[in-house]
Amino acid sequence: MLPCALSVLLATLVAGAPDAAPPCESEMNKIKDLLQVSCVGKGLSSVPAGLPKDTGILLLGSNRLSRVSLASFQHLSALVELDLSNNSLTALDTGGASLPGLQQLDLSVNGLKSLPAFQGMPALKRLALVHNALSQLPAGGFRALRNLDDLELEGNGIRDLPEGAFEGLEKLKDVDLADNLLEELPRELLAGLGNLEILRLERNRLKRVPDGFFPENYFAYLYLAENPWVCDCELVYLRDYILEYETSVYTRVQGPGKEITENKPESVECQAPASEKGRPVMHFQAHCEGPAGDSDGGEEGTWGESPTPLSTEPHAIIHTTLPSTSVRTTPSTAPPTTSVRTTPSTAPPTTSVRTTPSTAPPTTSVRTTPSTAPPTTSVRTTPSTAPPTTSVRTTPSTAAPTTSVRSTPSTAALATSVRSLLFLSSVFLLFYF
């Protein structure tokens, strides 16, 4: 009887023993039409065995996993999404593993200090490395993930980036670098990222971006708020970019239970100098010397306006008495030679005139020697008690000014002289006889 009693007791104990199967729930994800296995928050320190081979979505978040090898999942041929977030991972072993169908890998909120060697995941589209301890990234570290379009690096304490950090990621559409310690960005960081649509750079230590930093295609969403932007002449490029693409500049605000994204280019604010602190970058103005010495902004501080050109037209007419004038006559077929000297006196002036007789008054065209800024000059000679009168007119032009001088012989003066001679002759004759 004793052996029988022992057998019954043993059977009872075995029947009451806990199930050795993994403590995970399985269900069909109706949206993605994949079998979803959830092992979230089960206190696991290792990957459970006995997972269904047709698992398409595997959730292992919020456990105590410290080291994981991707070889643990390569028997899951249908695996598309793998969530290892909120664990204690300090290393991810990818060597030799092949997960050809994996499209999403979430490694957020772990303790990774270096970037794993991502191999054997050619179809990966989304990689989340949010809130790890990646202070720096190697050049070409994501090169094997050529189909990646979403890369999340928020909150890692990254201090600097090499120019080739995103090398080979030609299909990349979304890069999140918010909440890091970036103080500067290499000029060619985004080179080759022709499909980039979203760039998040909020809450870093950026003071400026290098000229030509942004790719030629514009972003659908660009986040730049809460950086210590220094609004000086070196920030002109960013200021102009925001002005041109202000409908693409957004900010994220934490609302009640959710994050709100809104278009707000004014959220990008100056933090220095003190006179500009709090001013939106898109509104700040400065006086910057261009390559030709022109000031950017002028007296009004408006960017991009050219200074008002100086007028080449004369602004004043100056009347003056020229004591001496050097005149070069324009040669003609029969150039008259005229020498005129006027001596002011109470008597009629003595005028010595040498000219080629003509039935009409000769016209002499003369050119004066130009000065650096030729004014319009009207010259008036000191009048005498009797004619002749000489009129000199200078015509301003951009070339050497041409002065036209017209000398008209005075017939009235000749008649006066004749009458004077006749009068003197009569007086002489009267006294003689």
Side-chain angles (χ1 to χ4, degrees):
M1 295 297 294
L2 184 59
C4 291
L6 291 174
S7 297
V8 172
L9 180 59
L10 182 60
T12 303
L13 291 174
V14 171
D19 191 358
C24 304
E25 296 83 26
S26 301
E27 63 177 352
M28 284 298 296
N29 186 310
K30 296 179 180 179
I31 297 176
K32 299 181 179 180
D33 195 26
L34 294 170
L35 178 62
Q36 178 173 301
V37 178
S38 177
C39 304
V40 177
K42 301 297 183 179
L44 301 175
S45 58
S46 61
V47 177
L51 296 170
K53 291 184 178 181
D54 58 346
T55 299
I57 302 174
L58 179 57
L59 307 178
L60 289 168
S62 300
N63 282 288
R64 294 184 288 108
L65 304 173
S66 60
R67 190 178 185 91
V68 170
S69 173
L70 291 184
S72 304
F73 310 108
Q74 64 181 5
H75 66 287
L76 305 176
S77 59
L79 189 62
V80 174
E81 298 182 17
L82 176 59
D83 185 353
L84 292 167
S85 64
N86 285 283
N87 278 280
S88 304
L89 290 176
T90 56
L92 180 70
D93 184 7
T94 62
S98 179
L99 300 174
L102 190 65
Q103 296 182 13
Q104 295 191 33
L105 176 59
D106 194 343
L107 298 170
S108 300
V109 195
N110 279 288
L112 297 174
K113 294 183 179 181
S114 60
L115 199 65
F118 293 108
Q119 301 291 334
M121 295 175 284
L124 197 67
K125 292 186 176 181
R126 174 178 176 261
L127 176 60
L129 289 162
V130 176
H131 291 294
N132 275 272
L134 303 171
S135 60
Q136 58 184 2
L137 299 177
F142 303 102
R143 191 184 296 116
L145 307 176
R146 295 192 174 275
N147 287 302
L148 197 67
D149 62 27
D150 184 358
L151 179 57
E152 302 173 20
L153 294 163
E154 180 182 357
N156 271 278
I158 300 173
R159 295 182 177 276
D160 57 83
L161 292 169
E163 284 194 350
F166 307 130
E167 180 184 341
L169 304 182
E170 296 178 359
K171 296 184 179 181
L172 197 61
K173 295 180 180 179
D174 187 345
V175 176
D176 191 344
L177 287 164
D179 293 294
N180 281 289
L181 303 175
L182 294 170
E183 295 184 2
E184 58 183 23
L185 299 167
R187 187 178 185 277
E188 301 297 325
L189 180 67
L190 306 180
L193 306 184
N195 293 304
L196 195 61
E197 297 177 354
I198 304 173
L199 178 62
R200 297 178 171 91
L201 290 167
E202 316 106 296
R203 295 177 295 280
N204 274 277
R205 297 179 178 178
L206 297 172
K207 297 179 180 179
R208 54 184 57 89
V209 296
D211 290 356
F213 173 75
F214 298 112
E216 292 182 1
N217 58 305
Y218 66 90
F219 296 101
Y221 299 90
L222 177 61
Y223 300 84
L224 298 167
E226 299 183 60
N227 279 283
W229 301 112
V230 176
C231 289
D232 58 13
C233 294
E234 294 186 45
L235 205 68
V236 172
Y237 169 73
L238 178 62
R239 192 207 77 105
D240 290 346
Y241 189 90
I242 294 174
L243 280 175
E244 185 172 1
Y245 300 108
E246 60 181 279
T247 56
S248 298
V249 182
Y250 282 76
T251 185
R252 292 184 284 185
V253 180
Q254 191 63 41
K258 62 179 179 180
E259 186 179 78
I260 301 172
T261 297
E262 61 178 331
N263 175 224
K264 192 175 181 181
E266 296 87 355
S267 64
V268 189
E269 297 181 347
C270 306
Q271 295 301 315
S275 59
E276 299 291 337
K277 187 173 182 178
R279 185 192 301 274
V281 168
M282 65 186 297
H283 293 158
F284 104 93
Q285 297 174 351
H287 299 275
C288 304
E289 291 296 327
D294 296 333
S295 103
D296 191 354
E299 293 182 357
E300 298 298 326
T302 304
W303 293 90
E305 291 185 1
S306 299
T308 304
L310 295 175
S311 173
T312 57
E313 297 298 325
H315 293 279
I317 297 177
I318 303 173
H319 297 281
T320 183
T321 301
L322 299 180
S324 130
T325 305
S326 175
V327 180
R328 289 185 296 174
T329 60
T330 304
S332 63
T333 54
T337 303
T338 304
S339 173
V340 180
R341 185 186 309 163
T342 60
T343 305
S345 67
T346 55
T350 303
T351 305
S352 174
V353 178
R354 253 191 330 170
T355 182
T356 304
S358 169
T359 56
T363 301
T364 305
S365 176
V366 298
R367 290 184 298 172
T368 61
T369 304
S371 64
T372 54
T376 300
T377 307
S378 175
V379 181
R380 295 186 297 182
T381 59
T382 305
S384 65
T385 55
T389 301
T390 304
S391 174
V392 180
R393 294 187 298 174
T394 60
T395 304
S397 68
T398 54
T402 303
T403 305
S404 176
V405 179
R406 291 186 297 179
S407 176
T408 307
S410 177
T411 56
L414 293 175
T416 302
S417 299
V418 170
R419 285 196 298 270
S420 299
L421 290 173
L422 289 175
F423 175 75
L424 292 174
S425 299
S426 300
V427 172
F428 175 80
L429 291 173
L430 178 62
F431 279 100
Y432 181 79
F433 293 103

